[in-house]
Amino acid sequence: MAPLAGYTCYPFRMLVREMGAALSYTEMVSCNGLKYKDKATQALLFTTTQETPKAAQILGADSRVMAEMCHFGIPEEYDLIDINMGCPVPNVIKSGEGCALMGDLRRASKIIRACADGRRPVTVKFRTGLVESNMIAAEFAKMCEDSGAAMITIHGRSRNMMYDGQPYYEQIQQAKAAVRIPVIANGGIRSVEDAERMMKETGADGIMIARYALENPYIFSELTKTPVIKSRFTLLQEQLELCKKYYEENFTLVYMKKLISYFMKKRIGTKRYKMELFRCGNCEELSFLIEKIFGEREDF
């Protein structure tokens, strides 16, 4: 499961693990936020002994700060750390973070070397390049390996493509051929058929699912042939209870409303519930609405 800002909190990570995902990362965690002990940033790292293995994704542009946070900011219980070098969002790019690092291989290498000190595996997630006219997936992948990365994930789109367009399978394939470390392929996977095509055309060692998992977390059970007999109603009620157990009500309401909206996507007859959903002011109202929308539907 890909790290997704605003979504891959502890409850959702546990959900996709139950569905069959082998690994799920935290939301991207700002190293600057950790440095200044920002409570919202620290909260992104919440986990329990029930989650294993544990994987955190960090964001930053200063190798010294990032190394320090890897050593002292990310709890020791996390088994591996991923460095975000693929986020295309404008405010991240302006800060020299995320995908901006694909335009500065020397700095990117310095960051990886500083973080990959042998204490725990460090992985890197990046794109095929900044623009389609200058794709550098293989070169960047080799740099990551040479700098100490234990694994890489490649989103098969350039930064200027954002989240649209057909992934460039050949870029991932070229990167796979350039390195010996495991390569995970990401981008445009919405079905078992998409996953099989990605694996076949790239030769990747595995795949990563991103936004589609919000709409259909069962994709992991379909891919791994993990038996799942829980309905969407049951999954949402369990997510609600898990949020209530570990988070404040405001966080629970915001997160659950977003998740329910994704679960309702492309389902007949649910548009009329959208306004009612966003009017919910407490967890009891939300629970009632979940039952109202999904309670009588035992489809998966």
Side-chain angles (χ1 to χ4, degrees):
M1 177 66 212
L4 292 176
Y7 291 98
T8 49
C9 55
Y10 172 72
F12 191 76
R13 298 197 305 269
M14 294 303 290
L15 166 60
V16 296
R17 293 299 301 275
E18 181 183 0
M19 293 295 106
L23 189 65
S24 182
Y25 291 90
T26 65
E27 302 175 51
M28 61 182 186
V29 178
S30 167
C31 285
N32 284 330
L34 286 180
K35 177 183 177 181
Y36 293 107
K37 302 188 185 302
D38 176 70
K39 291 184 178 180
T41 303
Q42 292 175 327
L44 299 176
L45 291 167
F46 174 80
T47 184
T48 74
T49 56
Q50 298 301 308
E51 182 179 19
T52 181
K54 297 173 172 58
Q57 189 189 66
I58 59 172
L59 178 75
D62 186 314
S63 60
R64 287 176 297 180
V65 172
M66 294 180 75
E68 183 181 353
M69 292 307 104
C70 278
H71 303 157
F72 306 111
I74 305 295
E76 291 184 1
E77 61 194 305
Y78 274 88
D79 301 288
L80 64 88
I81 296 175
D82 184 72
I83 304 173
N84 184 316
M85 295 189 177
C87 181
V89 177
N91 65 329
V92 169
I93 297 293
K94 289 176 183 177
S95 299
E97 302 169 331
C99 206
L101 291 167
M102 294 201 72
D104 190 342
L105 270 67
R106 179 177 291 185
R107 173 178 282 191
S109 176
K110 188 177 180 180
I111 288 171
I112 298 169
R113 290 179 187 278
C115 295
D117 65 349
R119 300 189 187 189
R120 50 189 160 187
V122 168
T123 65
V124 184
K125 187 172 188 288
F126 59 94
R127 287 177 172 247
T128 56
L130 290 171
V131 294
E132 290 175 79
S133 60
N134 185 28
M135 299 288 212
I136 60 168
E139 180 184 1
F140 203 84
K142 191 69 173 68
M143 178 277 295
C144 290
E145 181 180 51
D146 291 343
S147 302
M151 182 177 76
I152 54 175
T153 299
I154 307 172
H155 184 156
R157 299 184 178 102
S158 61
R159 186 261 166 171
N160 68 306
M161 293 173 70
M162 297 297 283
Y163 305 104
D164 299 316
Q166 184 73 9
Y168 283 86
Y169 299 108
E170 70 278 8
Q171 282 289 312
I172 302 176
Q173 188 277 326
Q174 290 169 19
K176 170 62 182 171
V179 299
R180 290 175 293 179
I181 57 176
V183 175
I184 307 301
N186 170 232
I189 301 171
R190 299 177 62 87
S191 66
V192 172
E193 292 72 27
D194 289 339
E196 290 174 343
R197 180 183 177 188
M198 178 67 85
M199 292 289 286
K200 181 180 179 180
E201 297 201 20
T202 67
D205 300 288
I207 57 168
M208 178 179 281
I209 309 294
R211 292 172 299 155
Y212 184 63
L214 300 173
E215 180 181 333
N216 178 29
Y218 296 100
I219 183 66
F220 294 105
S221 63
E222 295 165 8
L223 289 167
T224 61
K225 297 179 172 57
T226 302
V228 175
I229 58 173
K230 292 182 179 179
S231 66
R232 288 172 182 261
F233 165 72
T234 301
L235 294 183
L236 286 171
Q237 288 287 13
E238 288 180 349
Q239 283 286 284
L240 179 58
E241 291 306 311
L242 205 52
C243 279
K244 286 165 60 178
K245 182 176 181 179
Y246 293 113
Y247 296 89
E248 295 180 353
E249 187 170 55
N250 284 342
F251 174 91
T252 299
L253 288 172
V254 171
Y255 164 69
M256 288 301 302
K257 287 176 183 180
K258 291 188 297 184
L259 187 60
I260 293 168
S261 293
Y262 264 104
F263 270 47
M264 290 166 62
K265 220 171 180 183
K266 297 180 182 178
R267 291 165 65 84
I268 298 172
T270 54
K271 283 186 178 180
R272 66 183 185 276
Y273 292 121
K274 277 290 181 77
M275 291 302 296
E276 194 172 346
L277 170 64
F278 288 100
R279 282 198 299 266
C280 287
N282 55 56
C283 291
E284 288 69 29
E285 292 177 2
L286 203 57
S287 179
F288 176 78
L289 188 60
I290 291 172
E291 184 168 6
K292 187 175 180 180
I293 299 172
F294 298 96
E296 295 179 359
R297 302 168 183 257
E298 288 303 319
D299 58 322
F300 295 79

